[in-house]
Amino acid sequence: MQRYSGFGLAKHALSHHENWERQWRNPTPKKQYDVIIVGGGGHGLATAYYLAKEHGITNVAVVEKGWLGGGNTARNTTIVRSNYLWDESAALYEHAMKLWEGLSQDLNYNVMFSQRGVLNLGHTLQDMRDIQRRVNANRLNGIDGEVLDAKGVQEIVPIMDCSKNARYPVLGASWQPRAGVARHDAVAWGYARAADALGVDLLQNTEVTGFKIRDGRVYGVHTNRGDIEAKTVGCVAAGNSGVLAKMAGFRLPLESHPLQALVSEPLKPVLDTVVMSNHVHGYISQTDKGDLVIGAGIDGYNGYGQRGSYPTVEHTLQAIVEMFPIFSRVRMNRQWGGIVDTCPDACPILSATPVKGLYFNCGWGTGGFKATPGSGHVFAWTLAKNQAHPLAAPFSIDRFHSGALVDEHGAAGVAH
Amino acid sequence: MFHIYCPYCEEYREEEEFHPKGQAHIARPADPEACTDEQWGDYLFFRDNPRGIHHELWVHAVGCRKFFNITRNTVSYEILETYKMGEQPRFTAEYPEGKPDEQVAAEKVAAEAAGVERQEGVKA
């Protein structure tokens, strides 16, 4: 792998940047691998990377039906935070946060991780009580957090309507300074390039059409490019996890919903942090390019269509204009949907399945992007050792039968 | 934007009047106390989540406030039919073009004969 550096940039300038090496190979599938990862999004590529880097398992294929990072990795609103309420999820997301903090160096790829802070607004007394409780829980778990009053919020975001006359006045917020945003595509590409350099085969346009299962044990997958064998298969397919589970003969406690996002035309810098509100239900940040990135809730019905309904767009923009009257005349450039796999307790599933050797990493719902490095890290450990990583253990699929749910709806159910 | 035919109001109305309520035809266990953890968990949490034809429960929230069923394609989002509680769908994964008339009539007679008072699982 050609390492990226300032010196390299200067050197390639001499040849008009025409001789850069391809970021990854485009190999033909081998007959057999040690591990197959189904799904070439951020989580799948991260899993492959950590399998190769941390566990020395380099005979790995990432099987992707489309192109790398073309699903939810390319469609989310790029927010990264770890201020979750319960110990189990806080530990998992904080694990991811710590990896985020060194990720660009680790991958030799600028993922543009910008710790610009995230505000979660409170508009009612109950919101503020919940925020107090969550921030206290965060601090006990070693996660940074502060409770701000309306004045404190106004100082951080001068353009927001924090007056008492607002329909839903801002009473305060939780503030996580280490949170922020990252460049979503760069995360997928960075992991892909680093995994490829360690010998992982990235197989694009390769769709899994079934699993090879004998005596309750997986030994490979059928694809449109022929059969590929492996004793361990990890599925990281977000919205399409249910489709894969059906192929393997079991059901998951997931429902796939469209989740929409929008970007505006580029504006001059006006918002240098991330603002989220569960109560008026919207979240917003501004990219380095100047677009406002806006998101809100899922469409209520099941769907695989990667587009959303117009009423949801209207509700989303109502919420944003309620918080930021200054944006009332900003024009939206693009709108799209991703398919999120929502779990009943708003927590992921990182788990073994009824089929031996077949593991699922899914159910991240509306907030998977922030967990990308942590998810890949613990899932790689799980695949390498054939047992759940201690951080993944509470997120076993068994919890839906035992009742040991990790109910994160307070921190995760709405805004991400 | 969906334009949904409410089988009770017998009119097409805008999506905004309705709320989706998840998978239809999930029968509550007759004796919950007798369920194993496995059966109860399956009933509460596990869903079909198909890519294609799906039967959903919806409520006409700001109309007649009645619950009814929709058969919808989850990829194209096309609504194939709406039908009242207790009725069986005409369009299923097995019959994407719709069941033949005789079969629908026979099912209706059978359902009436059985005196169905609650909605049962899909007999596709």
Side-chain angles (χ1 to χ4, degrees), chain A residues 160-200:
Chain A
M160 188 158 59
D161 181 7
C162 294
S163 70
K164 289 202 168 70
N165 298 327
R167 183 167 176 195
Y168 303 102
V170 174
L171 300 185
S174 75
W175 169 239
Q176 189 185 13
R178 278 162 70 237
V181 294
R183 171 90 174 98
H184 51 354
D185 292 326
V187 175
W189 298 335
Y191 273 121
R193 173 170 166 271
D196 178 85
L198 293 171
V200 172

mmCIF file of all heavy atoms in Angstrom, chain A residues 160-200:
data_model
loop_
_atom_site.group_PDB
_atom_site.id
_atom_site.type_symbol
_atom_site.label_atom_id
_atom_site.label_comp_id
_atom_site.label_asym_id
_atom_site.label_seq_id
_atom_site.Cartn_x
_atom_site.Cartn_y
_atom_site.Cartn_z
ATOM 1 N N MET A 160 -29.630 29.848 17.144
ATOM 2 C CA MET A 160 -30.841 29.093 17.472
ATOM 3 C C MET A 160 -31.808 29.958 18.260
ATOM 4 O O MET A 160 -31.412 30.820 19.031
ATOM 5 C CB MET A 160 -30.478 27.844 18.278
ATOM 6 C CG MET A 160 -31.652 26.918 18.477
ATOM 7 S SD MET A 160 -31.144 25.241 18.844
ATOM 8 C CE MET A 160 -30.207 25.480 20.322
ATOM 9 N N ASP A 161 -33.102 29.717 18.056
ATOM 10 C CA ASP A 161 -34.123 30.444 18.799
ATOM 11 C C ASP A 161 -34.239 29.836 20.199
ATOM 12 O O ASP A 161 -34.881 28.803 20.387
ATOM 13 C CB ASP A 161 -35.469 30.347 18.065
ATOM 14 C CG ASP A 161 -36.573 31.112 18.805
ATOM 15 O OD1 ASP A 161 -36.244 31.800 19.794
ATOM 16 O OD2 ASP A 161 -37.740 31.011 18.390
ATOM 17 N N CYS A 162 -33.585 30.464 21.169
ATOM 18 C CA CYS A 162 -33.652 29.976 22.548
ATOM 19 C C CYS A 162 -34.537 30.895 23.395
ATOM 20 O O CYS A 162 -34.437 30.923 24.625
ATOM 21 C CB CYS A 162 -32.259 29.889 23.169
ATOM 22 S SG CYS A 162 -31.213 28.653 22.407
ATOM 23 N N SER A 163 -35.389 31.682 22.757
ATOM 24 C CA SER A 163 -36.224 32.623 23.509
ATOM 25 C C SER A 163 -37.364 31.892 24.196
ATOM 26 O O SER A 163 -37.703 30.761 23.846
ATOM 27 C CB SER A 163 -36.789 33.675 22.549
ATOM 28 O OG SER A 163 -37.748 33.081 21.713
ATOM 29 N N LYS A 164 -37.947 32.578 25.157
ATOM 30 C CA LYS A 164 -39.072 31.989 25.886
ATOM 31 C C LYS A 164 -40.322 31.938 25.022
ATOM 32 O O LYS A 164 -41.300 31.282 25.340
ATOM 33 C CB LYS A 164 -39.359 32.815 27.147
ATOM 34 C CG LYS A 164 -38.295 32.667 28.211
ATOM 35 C CD LYS A 164 -38.863 33.034 29.581
ATOM 36 C CE LYS A 164 -37.934 32.636 30.700
ATOM 37 N NZ LYS A 164 -36.704 33.470 30.738
ATOM 38 N N ASN A 165 -40.305 32.700 23.901
ATOM 39 C CA ASN A 165 -41.500 32.791 23.069
ATOM 40 C C ASN A 165 -41.618 31.656 22.056
ATOM 41 O O ASN A 165 -42.607 31.554 21.344
ATOM 42 C CB ASN A 165 -41.516 34.108 22.293
ATOM 43 C CG ASN A 165 -41.563 35.285 23.239
ATOM 44 O OD1 ASN A 165 -42.158 35.187 24.308
ATOM 45 N ND2 ASN A 165 -40.918 36.375 22.866
ATOM 46 N N ALA A 166 -40.575 30.824 21.961
ATOM 47 C CA ALA A 166 -40.647 29.713 21.013
ATOM 48 C C ALA A 166 -41.800 28.795 21.412
ATOM 49 O O ALA A 166 -42.192 28.729 22.584
ATOM 50 C CB ALA A 166 -39.338 28.938 21.021
ATOM 51 N N ARG A 167 -42.322 28.093 20.435
ATOM 52 C CA ARG A 167 -43.447 27.202 20.741
ATOM 53 C C ARG A 167 -43.015 26.101 21.699
ATOM 54 O O ARG A 167 -43.760 25.707 22.593
ATOM 55 C CB ARG A 167 -43.977 26.593 19.446
ATOM 56 C CG ARG A 167 -45.175 25.720 19.707
ATOM 57 C CD ARG A 167 -45.897 25.354 18.442
ATOM 58 N NE ARG A 167 -46.986 24.443 18.719
ATOM 59 C CZ ARG A 167 -47.606 23.743 17.800
ATOM 60 N NH1 ARG A 167 -47.254 23.866 16.536
ATOM 61 N NH2 ARG A 167 -48.587 22.934 18.116
ATOM 62 N N TYR A 168 -41.804 25.571 21.481
ATOM 63 C CA TYR A 168 -41.227 24.599 22.417
ATOM 64 C C TYR A 168 -39.923 25.193 22.932
ATOM 65 O O TYR A 168 -38.852 24.891 22.395
ATOM 66 C CB TYR A 168 -40.961 23.273 21.707
ATOM 67 C CG TYR A 168 -42.175 22.678 21.063
ATOM 68 C CD1 TYR A 168 -42.386 22.776 19.690
ATOM 69 C CD2 TYR A 168 -43.137 22.024 21.839
ATOM 70 C CE1 TYR A 168 -43.522 22.233 19.106
ATOM 71 C CE2 TYR A 168 -44.272 21.493 21.262
ATOM 72 C CZ TYR A 168 -44.459 21.596 19.883
ATOM 73 O OH TYR A 168 -45.583 21.065 19.306
ATOM 74 N N PRO A 169 -39.996 26.056 23.946
ATOM 75 C CA PRO A 169 -38.786 26.781 24.379
ATOM 76 C C PRO A 169 -37.665 25.810 24.762
ATOM 77 O O PRO A 169 -37.919 24.753 25.331
ATOM 78 C CB PRO A 169 -39.259 27.547 25.610
ATOM 79 C CG PRO A 169 -40.731 27.532 25.564
ATOM 80 C CD PRO A 169 -41.148 26.335 24.795
ATOM 81 N N VAL A 170 -36.433 26.195 24.446
ATOM 82 C CA VAL A 170 -35.273 25.394 24.831
ATOM 83 C C VAL A 170 -35.000 25.659 26.307
ATOM 84 O O VAL A 170 -34.736 26.798 26.698
ATOM 85 C CB VAL A 170 -34.043 25.776 23.977
ATOM 86 C CG1 VAL A 170 -32.807 25.039 24.473
ATOM 87 C CG2 VAL A 170 -34.296 25.469 22.510
ATOM 88 N N LEU A 171 -35.077 24.631 27.142
ATOM 89 C CA LEU A 171 -34.814 24.806 28.572
ATOM 90 C C LEU A 171 -33.355 24.496 28.899
ATOM 91 O O LEU A 171 -32.848 24.913 29.928
ATOM 92 C CB LEU A 171 -35.721 23.895 29.394
ATOM 93 C CG LEU A 171 -37.231 24.105 29.243
ATOM 94 C CD1 LEU A 171 -37.989 23.198 30.209
ATOM 95 C CD2 LEU A 171 -37.619 25.555 29.488
ATOM 96 N N GLY A 172 -32.726 23.729 28.031
ATOM 97 C CA GLY A 172 -31.338 23.356 28.290
ATOM 98 C C GLY A 172 -30.941 22.242 27.343
ATOM 99 O O GLY A 172 -31.617 21.988 26.350
ATOM 100 N N ALA A 173 -29.819 21.600 27.670
ATOM 101 C CA ALA A 173 -29.344 20.535 26.784
ATOM 102 C C ALA A 173 -28.293 19.710 27.501
ATOM 103 O O ALA A 173 -27.716 20.152 28.505
ATOM 104 C CB ALA A 173 -28.730 21.123 25.512
ATOM 105 N N SER A 174 -28.051 18.509 26.970
ATOM 106 C CA SER A 174 -26.829 17.802 27.355
ATOM 107 C C SER A 174 -25.795 18.135 26.283
ATOM 108 O O SER A 174 -26.126 18.327 25.119
ATOM 109 C CB SER A 174 -27.069 16.287 27.430
ATOM 110 O OG SER A 174 -27.158 15.732 26.141
ATOM 111 N N TRP A 175 -24.540 18.194 26.715
ATOM 112 C CA TRP A 175 -23.453 18.635 25.826
ATOM 113 C C TRP A 175 -22.324 17.644 25.949
ATOM 114 O O TRP A 175 -21.785 17.441 27.039
ATOM 115 C CB TRP A 175 -23.037 20.050 26.244
ATOM 116 C CG TRP A 175 -21.783 20.618 25.639
ATOM 117 C CD1 TRP A 175 -20.677 21.036 26.335
ATOM 118 C CD2 TRP A 175 -21.521 20.917 24.262
ATOM 119 N NE1 TRP A 175 -19.748 21.548 25.473
ATOM 120 C CE2 TRP A 175 -20.230 21.489 24.193
ATOM 121 C CE3 TRP A 175 -22.237 20.736 23.082
ATOM 122 C CZ2 TRP A 175 -19.648 21.879 22.977
ATOM 123 C CZ3 TRP A 175 -21.664 21.129 21.886
ATOM 124 C CH2 TRP A 175 -20.378 21.699 21.836
ATOM 125 N N GLN A 176 -21.998 16.967 24.846
ATOM 126 C CA GLN A 176 -20.836 16.069 24.841
ATOM 127 C C GLN A 176 -19.779 16.673 23.924
ATOM 128 O O GLN A 176 -19.877 16.561 22.698
ATOM 129 C CB GLN A 176 -21.197 14.660 24.375
ATOM 130 C CG GLN A 176 -20.011 13.724 24.598
ATOM 131 C CD GLN A 176 -20.187 12.311 24.072
ATOM 132 O OE1 GLN A 176 -21.090 12.024 23.314
ATOM 133 N NE2 GLN A 176 -19.287 11.429 24.487
ATOM 134 N N PRO A 177 -18.746 17.310 24.498
ATOM 135 C CA PRO A 177 -17.759 18.008 23.662
ATOM 136 C C PRO A 177 -16.953 17.071 22.765
ATOM 137 O O PRO A 177 -16.534 17.466 21.678
ATOM 138 C CB PRO A 177 -16.837 18.690 24.676
ATOM 139 C CG PRO A 177 -17.573 18.685 25.965
ATOM 140 C CD PRO A 177 -18.505 17.521 25.927
ATOM 141 N N ARG A 178 -16.723 15.823 23.191
ATOM 142 C CA ARG A 178 -15.913 14.908 22.370
ATOM 143 C C ARG A 178 -16.688 14.342 21.187
ATOM 144 O O ARG A 178 -16.117 13.709 20.308
ATOM 145 C CB ARG A 178 -15.403 13.747 23.218
ATOM 146 C CG ARG A 178 -14.159 14.072 24.034
ATOM 147 C CD ARG A 178 -13.991 13.056 25.140
ATOM 148 N NE ARG A 178 -13.606 11.741 24.639
ATOM 149 C CZ ARG A 178 -14.291 10.614 24.862
ATOM 150 N NH1 ARG A 178 -15.417 10.638 25.541
ATOM 151 N NH2 ARG A 178 -13.850 9.465 24.404
ATOM 152 N N ALA A 179 -17.985 14.516 21.181
ATOM 153 C CA ALA A 179 -18.791 14.008 20.072
ATOM 154 C C ALA A 179 -18.578 14.886 18.851
ATOM 155 O O ALA A 179 -17.918 15.920 18.926
ATOM 156 C CB ALA A 179 -20.261 13.992 20.468
ATOM 157 N N GLY A 180 -19.132 14.488 17.717
ATOM 158 C CA GLY A 180 -18.970 15.301 16.517
ATOM 159 C C GLY A 180 -19.450 14.601 15.279
ATOM 160 O O GLY A 180 -20.452 13.871 15.314
ATOM 161 N N VAL A 181 -18.735 14.832 14.187
ATOM 162 C CA VAL A 181 -19.095 14.212 12.901
ATOM 163 C C VAL A 181 -17.829 13.666 12.244
ATOM 164 O O VAL A 181 -16.720 14.031 12.614
ATOM 165 C CB VAL A 181 -19.770 15.221 11.939
ATOM 166 C CG1 VAL A 181 -21.117 15.670 12.467
ATOM 167 C CG2 VAL A 181 -18.855 16.412 11.680
ATOM 168 N N ALA A 182 -18.033 12.779 11.263
ATOM 169 C CA ALA A 182 -16.916 12.256 10.475
ATOM 170 C C ALA A 182 -17.384 12.153 9.032
ATOM 171 O O ALA A 182 -18.574 12.150 8.754
ATOM 172 C CB ALA A 182 -16.476 10.889 10.991
ATOM 173 N N ARG A 183 -16.410 12.051 8.135
ATOM 174 C CA ARG A 183 -16.752 11.947 6.713
ATOM 175 C C ARG A 183 -17.128 10.491 6.435
ATOM 176 O O ARG A 183 -16.269 9.604 6.465
ATOM 177 C CB ARG A 183 -15.552 12.375 5.879
ATOM 178 C CG ARG A 183 -15.705 12.122 4.411
ATOM 179 C CD ARG A 183 -16.320 13.306 3.701
ATOM 180 N NE ARG A 183 -16.314 13.074 2.267
ATOM 181 C CZ ARG A 183 -17.357 12.628 1.583
ATOM 182 N NH1 ARG A 183 -18.495 12.398 2.178
ATOM 183 N NH2 ARG A 183 -17.265 12.438 0.291
ATOM 184 N N HIS A 184 -18.424 10.251 6.168
ATOM 185 C CA HIS A 184 -18.915 8.868 6.122
ATOM 186 C C HIS A 184 -18.252 8.025 5.031
ATOM 187 O O HIS A 184 -17.834 6.889 5.283
ATOM 188 C CB HIS A 184 -20.425 8.840 5.981
ATOM 189 C CG HIS A 184 -20.966 9.688 4.872
ATOM 190 N ND1 HIS A 184 -20.178 10.521 4.135
ATOM 191 C CD2 HIS A 184 -22.206 9.839 4.379
ATOM 192 C CE1 HIS A 184 -20.919 11.140 3.246
ATOM 193 N NE2 HIS A 184 -22.164 10.747 3.370
ATOM 194 N N ASP A 185 -18.130 8.555 3.814
ATOM 195 C CA ASP A 185 -17.535 7.763 2.729
ATOM 196 C C ASP A 185 -16.080 7.422 3.039
ATOM 197 O O ASP A 185 -15.629 6.304 2.786
ATOM 198 C CB ASP A 185 -17.580 8.535 1.408
ATOM 199 C CG ASP A 185 -18.999 8.709 0.905
ATOM 200 O OD1 ASP A 185 -19.810 7.789 1.137
ATOM 201 O OD2 ASP A 185 -19.301 9.753 0.314
ATOM 202 N N ALA A 186 -15.369 8.404 3.601
ATOM 203 C CA ALA A 186 -13.949 8.189 3.896
ATOM 204 C C ALA A 186 -13.769 7.051 4.891
ATOM 205 O O ALA A 186 -12.763 6.341 4.848
ATOM 206 C CB ALA A 186 -13.316 9.467 4.431
ATOM 207 N N VAL A 187 -14.751 6.870 5.788
ATOM 208 C CA VAL A 187 -14.650 5.790 6.767
ATOM 209 C C VAL A 187 -14.676 4.438 6.042
ATOM 210 O O VAL A 187 -13.841 3.560 6.279
ATOM 211 C CB VAL A 187 -15.791 5.896 7.798
ATOM 212 C CG1 VAL A 187 -15.771 4.719 8.752
ATOM 213 C CG2 VAL A 187 -15.675 7.209 8.560
ATOM 214 N N ALA A 188 -15.631 4.306 5.117
ATOM 215 C CA ALA A 188 -15.718 3.045 4.354
ATOM 216 C C ALA A 188 -14.461 2.859 3.501
ATOM 217 O O ALA A 188 -13.862 1.773 3.484
ATOM 218 C CB ALA A 188 -16.966 3.048 3.477
ATOM 219 N N TRP A 189 -14.056 3.903 2.810
ATOM 220 C CA TRP A 189 -12.902 3.788 1.915
ATOM 221 C C TRP A 189 -11.609 3.537 2.691
ATOM 222 O O TRP A 189 -10.752 2.758 2.263
ATOM 223 C CB TRP A 189 -12.760 5.060 1.067
ATOM 224 C CG TRP A 189 -13.948 5.314 0.180
ATOM 225 C CD1 TRP A 189 -14.816 4.374 -0.293
ATOM 226 C CD2 TRP A 189 -14.396 6.576 -0.320
ATOM 227 N NE1 TRP A 189 -15.782 4.981 -1.064
ATOM 228 C CE2 TRP A 189 -15.550 6.329 -1.100
ATOM 229 C CE3 TRP A 189 -13.952 7.893 -0.196
ATOM 230 C CZ2 TRP A 189 -16.260 7.342 -1.745
ATOM 231 C CZ3 TRP A 189 -14.648 8.904 -0.841
ATOM 232 C CH2 TRP A 189 -15.797 8.627 -1.607
ATOM 233 N N GLY A 190 -11.478 4.206 3.826
ATOM 234 C CA GLY A 190 -10.281 4.035 4.651
ATOM 235 C C GLY A 190 -10.164 2.603 5.147
ATOM 236 O O GLY A 190 -9.095 1.987 5.071
ATOM 237 N N TYR A 191 -11.269 2.051 5.663
ATOM 238 C CA TYR A 191 -11.257 0.661 6.117
ATOM 239 C C TYR A 191 -11.007 -0.286 4.951
ATOM 240 O O TYR A 191 -10.283 -1.272 5.074
ATOM 241 C CB TYR A 191 -12.575 0.312 6.815
ATOM 242 C CG TYR A 191 -12.584 0.647 8.283
ATOM 243 C CD1 TYR A 191 -13.507 1.522 8.821
ATOM 244 C CD2 TYR A 191 -11.659 0.065 9.145
ATOM 245 C CE1 TYR A 191 -13.519 1.833 10.178
ATOM 246 C CE2 TYR A 191 -11.652 0.357 10.501
ATOM 247 C CZ TYR A 191 -12.592 1.242 11.013
ATOM 248 O OH TYR A 191 -12.581 1.533 12.350
ATOM 249 N N ALA A 192 -11.625 0.013 3.785
ATOM 250 C CA ALA A 192 -11.471 -0.864 2.627
ATOM 251 C C ALA A 192 -10.014 -0.900 2.196
ATOM 252 O O ALA A 192 -9.435 -1.973 1.976
ATOM 253 C CB ALA A 192 -12.355 -0.377 1.485
ATOM 254 N N ARG A 193 -9.401 0.264 2.111
ATOM 255 C CA ARG A 193 -8.021 0.341 1.647
ATOM 256 C C ARG A 193 -7.076 -0.367 2.619
ATOM 257 O O ARG A 193 -6.188 -1.131 2.210
ATOM 258 C CB ARG A 193 -7.637 1.813 1.489
ATOM 259 C CG ARG A 193 -6.182 2.081 1.168
ATOM 260 C CD ARG A 193 -6.015 3.549 0.802
ATOM 261 N NE ARG A 193 -4.631 3.982 0.797
ATOM 262 C CZ ARG A 193 -3.997 4.457 1.881
ATOM 263 N NH1 ARG A 193 -4.623 4.540 3.036
ATOM 264 N NH2 ARG A 193 -2.742 4.845 1.779
ATOM 265 N N ALA A 194 -7.310 -0.132 3.924
ATOM 266 C CA ALA A 194 -6.430 -0.732 4.922
ATOM 267 C C ALA A 194 -6.618 -2.249 4.981
ATOM 268 O O ALA A 194 -5.649 -2.994 5.132
ATOM 269 C CB ALA A 194 -6.697 -0.106 6.289
ATOM 270 N N ALA A 195 -7.875 -2.709 4.837
ATOM 271 C CA ALA A 195 -8.134 -4.152 4.871
ATOM 272 C C ALA A 195 -7.519 -4.814 3.641
ATOM 273 O O ALA A 195 -6.886 -5.869 3.739
ATOM 274 C CB ALA A 195 -9.639 -4.421 4.923
ATOM 275 N N ASP A 196 -7.701 -4.187 2.491
ATOM 276 C CA ASP A 196 -7.148 -4.715 1.236
ATOM 277 C C ASP A 196 -5.630 -4.845 1.331
ATOM 278 O O ASP A 196 -5.043 -5.844 0.900
ATOM 279 C CB ASP A 196 -7.548 -3.788 0.089
ATOM 280 C CG ASP A 196 -6.965 -4.232 -1.248
ATOM 281 O OD1 ASP A 196 -7.598 -5.089 -1.884
ATOM 282 O OD2 ASP A 196 -5.885 -3.741 -1.607
ATOM 283 N N ALA A 197 -5.002 -3.841 1.931
ATOM 284 C CA ALA A 197 -3.541 -3.867 2.057
ATOM 285 C C ALA A 197 -3.075 -5.036 2.911
ATOM 286 O O ALA A 197 -1.972 -5.542 2.738
ATOM 287 C CB ALA A 197 -3.045 -2.551 2.649
ATOM 288 N N LEU A 198 -3.938 -5.485 3.850
ATOM 289 C CA LEU A 198 -3.570 -6.616 4.706
ATOM 290 C C LEU A 198 -3.945 -7.956 4.073
ATOM 291 O O LEU A 198 -3.795 -9.011 4.685
ATOM 292 C CB LEU A 198 -4.243 -6.475 6.074
ATOM 293 C CG LEU A 198 -3.756 -5.291 6.931
ATOM 294 C CD1 LEU A 198 -4.637 -5.117 8.156
ATOM 295 C CD2 LEU A 198 -2.310 -5.481 7.355
ATOM 296 N N GLY A 199 -4.510 -7.905 2.850
ATOM 297 C CA GLY A 199 -4.775 -9.156 2.136
ATOM 298 C C GLY A 199 -6.236 -9.564 2.050
ATOM 299 O O GLY A 199 -6.551 -10.633 1.526
ATOM 300 N N VAL A 200 -7.147 -8.743 2.572
ATOM 301 C CA VAL A 200 -8.575 -9.067 2.516
ATOM 302 C C VAL A 200 -9.076 -8.878 1.082
ATOM 303 O O VAL A 200 -8.743 -7.888 0.431
ATOM 304 C CB VAL A 200 -9.366 -8.159 3.483
ATOM 305 C CG1 VAL A 200 -10.867 -8.340 3.305
ATOM 306 C CG2 VAL A 200 -8.950 -8.424 4.921
#
